[in-house]
Amino acid sequence: MRKIVLVGNPNTGKTTLYNTLTASREHAGNWHGVTVDVKSKKAKVMGEEYEVCDLPGLYSLDAYSEEEKLAASFVSDNQDAIFVCIADANNLRRNLYLALELKAQCSTLILAVNMAKEVKSFSPEKLETELGIAVCGIDARSKRGIKSLTKKIAEAKPGSKKPGPKTSAAFSISDFEKKTKAGFDEIDRVLLKAGYKTEGFYGSSKLDRVLLGQPWSFLIFAAVMALVFFITFGSLGSWLSEVVNTAFENLSGKIITLLSGKVKSQALIDFIGEGIFGGALTILSFLPQIVLMFLCLNFLEDIGYLSRVAYSFDRLFKRFGLTGRSAFSLIMGFGCTTTAVMTTRNLDSKRLKTRTAMMLPFMSCSAKLPIYAVLCSAFFKEHKALIVFSLYLLGILMFLLVASIFKKHDKTEDTDSFMLEFPKYRVSSLKKILSNALNSACEFFVRVGGILLLCSMIVYLLSNFSFSLSYVAGDRQQSILYSLAKFIAPIFTPLGFGTVGATIAILSGIMAKEMVVSSLAIVNGTTALGLASSLTLISSPVHFSTLSAISFMVFVLLYNPCISAIMSMKREIGRKGAVLSCLMQFGIAYVTSGLVYGLGLLFMSPLWWVGTIALIVLASLVIVVLKCKPRRKTLSLELVRLKCSGCKKCNGSDCPQRERPKTNQGFIG
Amino acid sequence: MENLARLSELKKGDEGVIYKIDGLEKAKHKRLLELGFVEGTPIFCIKSSKQGLIVGIRSFTLCLDTYLCQRILVYRKVAK
């Protein structure tokens, strides 16, 4: 089967074209570096079956970052495939550089110029004549020109493998400068002959004057995120959640009634009702809020705002040893930590990648959302959005605090630089946003139906059977899970939630964060009662007080990520980094949660002023720790006048050796 | 009239022509070349701030931090 390889510069519409060709719903966004892995799917093009591959974006075949190396090596390993180089019609002056490189290396190449309608002077016929490769104008979003592209693909004949050009390592910088200059001169010549003209600079907008101005950029970002939380957790999100919850409750109620008449074993009915429906349905009740959150985030990335956020945050992030590019991973962390960790491949240096990946679990992923929603509904009904927003903010602050500590103790010199191409602001496509949100909802459904259902069933069985495998539903304290959790629960007593139920929830959350709510519901046996009754039971003093609920949410926010995120971290930063990260997060979660609970107790007691003093002392300590610099051996620099050694190249007075910088460790140079 | 300057010295609305990239690590130097920062390419400063510049080059917009801007030498076009 022949391969169709979609290749091109970042943010040119490769994934959108891939989705069109393969009828997939892969995530596509209006920013640099959405795709970090090679995706492939079989698809029929003009009646013939092909394997369509979508590569991460790259500027040239001389790869720079990890995902670019992956794409470049895929190109060199599959030179006999049909290559479709996607270029942005607005940006041909730069995009064609890769096309010229591919032309020299690949046997079959088609240039698909995306958003062709936006540039009036673009003529595929003229460009085809000048470049000597097949060219067609398309619009991947509206599917314009796709037929012409598929026709060209079907007509493409397999060519012979070309000898690979010299790799970048073989070039010195001056050779590389000559090579790129020749390449760009050729592009200018081709485009001039093809009559291609563009006005202004693609991606710049008057809107940026407001969005990128300091300090407005931060305020606007904070306002935008607050609006996202208001939409998600405000009256709309809560109402939708209640509607879905009522529907699920009615459905599970009817199924259990139906089963009660046919199945005699009460243990089996309980297992289906609580273990299967209970655990999974508790999580599904929060599906509308998760979909709303994804809708908002997808909208922001589709209009091109996220790149501006990365730029705005660059200066701030540099103070913490990160760059603006880390902001992409940080925002992705609001969705899923596993995916966010993968996006760290976009980062330039290994050190930056390790730092960012290790701290990403501090961000509140969508799986933590049901936990906040349940506890906030029970304890802070009036200020739900505010509390959740504060938790998200705490995650970001902790991310930056730990980053600054890393920076303080990193002895290597900071040379992380930031360059980023600005995408054009685009009117968001409702269809695309809905499709992305639907995709996220489907992924969530699959997760609930797969690993979460299995985990729910395991938790149910362990909490209802004793070590002698007898059914102990009436006395759950005899169960396997209770017996094990009893040993661990005292660890969490200083944090205010040293109950068996909370301990089980915390432990099961390591498998998947959604399991925290599910386990709380199963262990407390509240699933059959519905969400409203569950909330009443959870809010009873037996399980949580207002303060311990806050402490519990802080702990859940900061402790270890789920298994899939840990595996993703192991892949990206190695086993040692993943283990260190987990230990660090547990420690930080424990200390922070303990502080929240301890200070809360002090504030609520008549000795509230002690709490105030303690808080001031603590804040001062944090500032002192951040301000103090680790002891480093400083280099003193002085210019030392030297006598010319008689190098025969000078007259003595302007000899380059006459003045040399000398440090306390010797001469430089 | 043209005079040699670092890119970081350009102000909003200034135009220049790339002369060379100086003192940058090989990988970053190559990345800038691939993006079109080759000798003789016109460059336009869209916005300048403490954190770096937003420039227009080869018909697209790119933001660069001060570290990079200080290592790119340009001939600044001065209005007559």
Side-chain angles (χ1 to χ4, degrees):
Chain A
M1 190 191 304
R2 290 193 74 188
K3 276 182 186 164
I4 300 172
V5 182
L6 306 180
V7 62
N9 279 196
N11 201 26
T12 48
K14 294 177 293 300
T15 307
T16 312
L17 181 62
Y18 174 82
N19 287 343
T20 308
L21 290 177
T22 60
S24 306
R25 279 206 302 263
E26 291 293 344
H27 185 78
N30 185 15
W31 53 284
H32 170 287
V34 183
T35 309
V36 288
D37 220 341
V38 178
K39 289 180 212 121
S40 67
K41 195 179 177 184
K42 285 174 189 170
K44 277 199 169 180
V45 176
M46 302 290 273
E48 204 178 329
E49 199 167 53
Y50 290 90
E51 187 185 350
V52 184
C53 307
D54 178 25
L55 304 191
L58 73 170
Y59 289 107
S60 84
L61 294 174
D62 299 294
Y64 179 61
S65 60
E66 259 182 66
E67 92 274 12
E68 286 183 5
K69 282 176 190 160
L70 188 77
S73 97
F74 192 90
V75 171
S76 67
D77 293 345
N78 295 278
Q79 285 178 1
D80 51 348
I82 301 169
F83 282 87
V84 178
C85 178
I86 295 112
D88 189 333
N90 298 283
N91 204 354
L92 283 182
R93 283 186 203 285
R94 202 204 58 223
N95 285 188
L96 283 188
Y97 183 75
L98 178 67
L100 289 180
E101 279 197 325
L102 287 167
K103 189 187 161 190
Q105 192 166 341
C106 306
S107 58
T108 317
L109 177 68
I110 299 164
L111 179 68
V113 180
N114 197 11
M115 294 166 264
K117 286 274 170 195
E118 290 180 15
V119 182
K120 285 176 187 169
S121 61
F122 168 70
S123 157
E125 295 78 21
K126 283 182 186 171
L127 198 59
E128 194 167 311
T129 317
E130 292 303 322
L131 276 176
I133 52 171
V135 178
C136 61
I138 60 164
D139 192 296
R141 263 193 183 191
S142 62
K143 298 182 185 174
R144 265 188 223 136
I146 300 297
K147 270 192 180 174
S148 143
L149 175 67
T150 51
K151 205 179 159 192
K152 280 196 162 55
I153 291 171
E155 285 168 359
K157 286 171 192 166
S160 56
K161 218 171 179 176
K162 291 184 181 179
K166 273 162 79 179
T167 56
S168 67
F171 286 105
S172 68
I173 278 291
S174 58
D175 288 342
F176 199 78
E177 270 176 1
K178 282 175 196 161
K179 184 193 157 201
T180 42
K181 184 155 173 45
F184 282 113
D185 286 347
E186 172 71 3
I187 292 168
D188 289 340
R189 188 194 62 78
V190 164
L191 291 178
L192 187 71
K193 281 198 168 181
Y196 173 85
K197 276 178 196 167
T198 48
E199 281 177 11
F201 297 103
Y202 178 65
S204 70
S205 164
K206 285 179 183 172
L207 197 60
D208 286 339
R209 283 183 198 167
V210 184
L211 289 179
L212 301 178
Q214 304 279 2
W216 304 113
S217 55
F218 296 117
L219 294 175
I220 291 170
F221 178 70
V224 167
M225 290 317 285
L227 184 68
V228 170
F229 290 107
F230 179 73
I231 294 170
T232 312
F233 297 98
S235 42
L236 177 68
S238 303
W239 176 74
L240 283 172
S241 191
E242 270 174 35
V243 169
V244 172
N245 182 50
T246 315
F248 281 142
E249 271 178 20
N250 289 340
L251 180 75
S252 62
K254 277 181 186 168
I255 292 171
I256 290 166
T257 317
L258 197 75
L259 281 173
S260 305
K262 292 185 179 175
V263 180
K264 286 178 184 174
S265 165
Q266 187 56 39
L268 187 63
I269 294 170
D270 286 351
F271 174 69
I272 295 167
E274 289 183 31
I276 297 177
F277 285 112
L281 289 185
T282 314
I283 306 163
L284 283 178
S285 311
F286 301 98
L287 185 66
Q289 285 172 327
I290 288 168
V291 170
L292 276 176
M293 173 76 104
F294 277 114
L295 270 174
C296 297
L297 290 179
N298 284 334
F299 172 76
L300 291 178
E301 73 172 23
D302 206 37
I303 58 169
Y305 179 58
L306 288 193
S307 295
R308 271 80 183 175
V309 171
Y311 170 79
S312 307
F313 276 80
D314 180 57
R315 198 165 163 223
L316 175 76
F317 274 25
K318 286 252 172 71
R319 290 183 186 176
F320 298 96
L322 306 167
T323 71
R325 272 175 181 269
S326 306
F328 283 139
S329 306
L330 191 140
I331 293 167
M332 290 297 279
F334 288 141
C336 174
T337 312
T338 311
T339 325
V341 169
M342 282 172 76
T343 60
T344 56
R345 284 179 199 178
N346 282 325
L347 300 171
D348 297 343
S349 67
K350 196 181 171 191
R351 181 188 52 173
L352 195 60
K353 183 181 165 180
T354 310
R355 273 187 200 170
T356 311
M358 281 179 83
M359 290 170 307
L360 276 174
F362 290 135
M363 307 314 296
S364 280
C365 68
S366 62
K368 290 175 187 170
L369 218 134
I371 310 164
Y372 305 152
V374 161
L375 291 170
C376 286
S377 301
F379 295 96
F380 314 99
K381 216 166 186 175
E382 298 293 308
H383 310 289
K384 211 163 138 185
L386 183 70
I387 295 286
V388 178
F389 183 65
S390 309
L391 283 165
Y392 272 73
L393 205 63
L394 177 68
I396 297 171
L397 288 177
M398 205 49 91
F399 181 97
L400 295 176
L401 183 75
V402 177
S404 69
I405 292 169
F406 271 131
K407 194 193 170 192
K408 293 276 171 199
H409 293 89
D410 192 348
K411 288 177 183 173
T412 53
E413 199 190 339
D414 279 345
T415 53
D416 295 320
S417 55
F418 176 75
M419 64 178 126
L420 186 72
E421 191 186 338
F422 273 178
K424 191 179 178 179
Y425 283 113
R426 293 197 173 277
V427 177
S428 187
S429 148
L430 186 67
K431 194 183 161 192
K432 192 180 162 193
I433 295 174
L434 286 175
S435 164
N436 275 345
L438 189 69
N439 204 18
S440 311
C442 288
E443 273 174 22
F444 188 72
F445 255 116
V446 170
R447 215 166 131 78
V448 171
I451 183 91
L452 295 175
L453 189 64
L454 186 74
C455 292
S456 295
M457 290 194 299
I458 292 170
V459 169
Y460 177 81
L461 290 174
L462 290 174
S463 63
N464 282 279
F465 285 88
S466 67
F467 280 107
S468 57
L469 297 180
S470 51
Y471 186 54
V472 288
D475 183 16
R476 283 185 171 170
Q477 291 193 0
Q478 302 292 321
S479 72
I480 301 168
L481 204 58
Y482 268 72
S483 311
L484 292 173
K486 235 185 268 176
F487 284 106
I488 304 166
I491 296 174
F492 300 111
T493 309
L495 314 185
F497 50 86
T499 60
V500 172
T503 308
I504 293 168
I506 291 284
L507 294 179
S508 59
I510 296 172
M511 287 190 271
K513 284 287 171 286
E514 293 91 337
M515 277 304 296
V516 173
V517 169
S518 170
S519 302
L520 271 177
I522 293 170
V523 170
N524 294 323
T526 57
T527 50
L529 303 172
L531 189 67
S533 315
S534 299
L535 294 178
T536 319
L537 262 173
I538 288 170
S539 62
S540 69
V542 182
H543 301 291
F544 289 109
S545 64
T546 309
L547 191 57
S548 67
I550 296 175
S551 168
F552 184 78
M553 285 192 285
V554 169
F555 189 83
V556 169
L557 162 74
L558 302 174
Y559 90 123
N560 306 33
C562 64
I563 287 284
S564 75
I566 295 172
M567 295 312 287
S568 179
M569 278 165 76
K570 189 191 151 202
R571 266 198 309 274
E572 300 302 327
I573 59 169
R575 185 181 295 177
K576 197 180 160 190
V579 171
L580 268 174
S581 171
C582 288
L583 290 173
M584 177 191 78
Q585 276 142 24
F586 189 85
I588 288 173
Y590 196 86
V591 172
T592 316
S593 190
L595 281 172
V596 167
Y597 187 67
L599 288 172
L601 280 180
L602 274 174
F603 271 113
M604 287 159 81
S605 72
L607 294 169
W608 60 268
W609 54 274
V610 179
T612 314
I613 293 168
L615 194 65
I616 293 166
V617 170
L618 190 73
S620 314
L621 267 175
V622 171
I623 292 166
V624 167
V625 168
L626 290 178
K627 285 275 175 195
C628 79
K629 287 180 181 170
R631 281 182 190 177
R632 286 182 197 172
K633 198 170 185 180
T634 50
L635 287 172
S636 65
L637 192 73
E638 57 174 325
L639 288 171
V640 178
R641 286 198 162 267
L642 296 168
K643 279 182 183 174
C644 177
S645 55
C647 57
K648 295 177 186 175
K649 289 179 183 174
C650 64
N651 57 12
S653 59
D654 58 348
C655 179
Q657 285 200 12
R658 196 169 158 80
E659 274 193 352
R660 285 178 67 191
K662 187 193 177 190
T663 70
N664 55 356
Q665 289 173 16
F667 282 105
I668 293 174
Chain B
M1 284 286 287
E2 290 176 336
N3 58 349
L4 197 60
R6 295 196 180 275
L7 183 61
S8 52
E9 291 166 29
L10 259 59
K11 301 276 172 253
K12 187 184 168 185
D14 282 357
E15 281 180 65
V17 175
I18 303 286
Y19 168 53
K20 71 170 190 174
I21 301 163
D22 187 34
L24 201 59
E25 301 94 277
K26 198 176 174 184
K28 286 171 190 166
H29 191 147
K30 280 185 173 179
R31 169 46 45 95
L32 284 173
L33 289 171
E34 288 163 2
L35 286 169
F37 284 77
V38 292
E39 194 186 340
T41 309
I43 191 164
F44 180 76
C45 178
I46 297 169
K47 182 180 161 64
S48 109
S49 67
K50 280 181 188 171
Q51 70 187 84
L53 294 185
I54 298 176
V55 294
I57 183 167
R58 296 198 73 83
S59 76
F60 72 99
T61 312
L62 187 81
C63 57
L64 299 162
D65 65 1
T66 316
Y67 175 82
L68 292 171
C69 290
Q70 283 172 342
R71 281 150 185 83
I72 300 168
L73 295 172
V74 293
Y75 285 116
R76 182 162 39 188
K77 282 185 184 174
V78 182
K80 284 176 186 174

